Amino acid sequence: ASSVKSKRTHNIGVLLPEIAMIFFPDVLEGIDSAAKERGYKLFFLSTGYNFEEEKENLKFLKSSWVDGILLDSCCKQADMPEYLKLLTTNIPSKNVPVVTLESSFHSKKLGFVGIDHVKYTKMAIQHLIEQGHRDIAIMGGPGHLPLSADNMQGYKEALREAGLPIKEENYLQGDYLPVSGYDAVKKAFTQGKKPTWTALFCANDQMAIGAVKAAINLGIKIPGQLAIMGFDNVFPGSLIDPQLT
């Protein structure tokens, strides 16, 4: 009755794309810690990188007893303008604010928490260039995600500013999971023309860990023959040998 009167439930809905990925439990733990400090509880749902399921879960949370929603979306970049309408539409008599994580929808109606992936990917590539590398590959996540476009932009900016060529064959595709990093590197070195790149930047640590495993199995010395750099700083990156940069 108190909740009905105040229209406050002290519940927060959380939508994450894949709880099985190493990155997201830490995110959820941080959300939970901040919520508890303020007397809130979490209503958590995982979408499995399924956009249709994400939309259904979003509608459910907006119509249920939550005061706000934290969303790490798997929406395609091309679909963002249309999806924004759903994100900013409220049910009658209840305003449910949405804060997006990682990917910004560039709307004043939505909060956003994330980092500048263009800037920090650029810094990573510049670090590899400073180490003497002139032929650098990049392994991004699914191509339709905004984060992948941001990683690619930072990568290209760093190469252009250093006067280095941008080669299409230096783009590797992953899905943020270790097996995709393993498969991509194994395929690159065992099928067709052998790669000329001496360094590989991976858009997250899990793909980088898979890449390291594949390189070791192929007898490629790290970092002597191939430098591999991750992005996230999750703890398993310190457990492999050699450790991830």
Side-chain angles (χ1 to χ4, degrees), residues 27-199:
V27 173
L28 189 59
E29 184 177 353
I31 294 170
D32 187 51
S33 176
K36 284 179 178 177
E37 289 178 3
R38 293 157 179 81
Y40 281 77
K41 295 183 181 297
L42 301 186
F43 198 130
F44 166 70
L45 293 167
S46 179
T47 64
Y49 278 102
N50 184 316
F51 185 48
E52 292 304 316
E53 184 173 341
E54 176 184 311
K55 289 190 290 185
E56 288 303 313
N57 287 339
L58 180 76
K59 292 175 183 177
F60 167 73
L61 289 176
K62 276 181 170 284
S63 64
S64 65
W65 292 92
V66 297
D67 294 334
I69 297 170
L70 297 177
L71 168 67
D72 196 321
S73 179
C74 62
C75 177
K76 294 180 180 179
Q77 195 162 17
D79 295 335
M80 278 185 159
E82 184 65 27
Y83 190 34
L84 183 61
K85 298 176 184 178
L86 176 61
L87 293 175
T88 56
T89 299
N90 291 303
I91 61 172
S93 75
K94 186 173 177 66
N95 175 37
V96 183
V98 177
V99 174
T100 62
L101 312 177
E102 293 202 278
S103 295
S104 173
F105 281 73
H106 305 289
S107 170
K108 293 181 179 180
K109 295 181 179 181
L110 295 180
F112 169 63
V113 176
I115 66 170
D116 189 335
H117 283 261
V118 176
K119 175 182 177 180
Y120 293 114
T121 300
K122 183 177 179 178
M123 286 178 62
I125 303 303
Q126 288 172 333
H127 171 74
L128 292 171
I129 293 171
E130 290 167 1
Q131 299 304 305
H133 297 283
R134 295 295 177 267
D135 200 343
I136 302 169
I138 181 171
M139 186 185 303
H144 65 272
L145 295 180
L147 291 184
S148 298
D150 289 347
N151 291 138
M152 191 60 68
Q153 182 181 336
Y155 169 75
K156 290 181 177 180
E157 286 183 7
L159 294 183
R160 288 194 188 104
E161 290 182 11
L164 298 175
I166 298 172
K167 303 177 182 178
E168 186 175 345
E169 62 267 25
N170 285 4
Y171 304 163
L172 279 68
Q173 184 74 58
D175 62 6
Y176 296 128
L177 293 174
V179 68
S180 69
Y182 182 93
D183 289 343
V185 169
K186 182 179 178 181
K187 181 179 179 180
F189 281 91
T190 58
Q191 298 182 17
K193 186 179 178 181
K194 188 176 180 180
T196 59
W197 31 270
T198 60

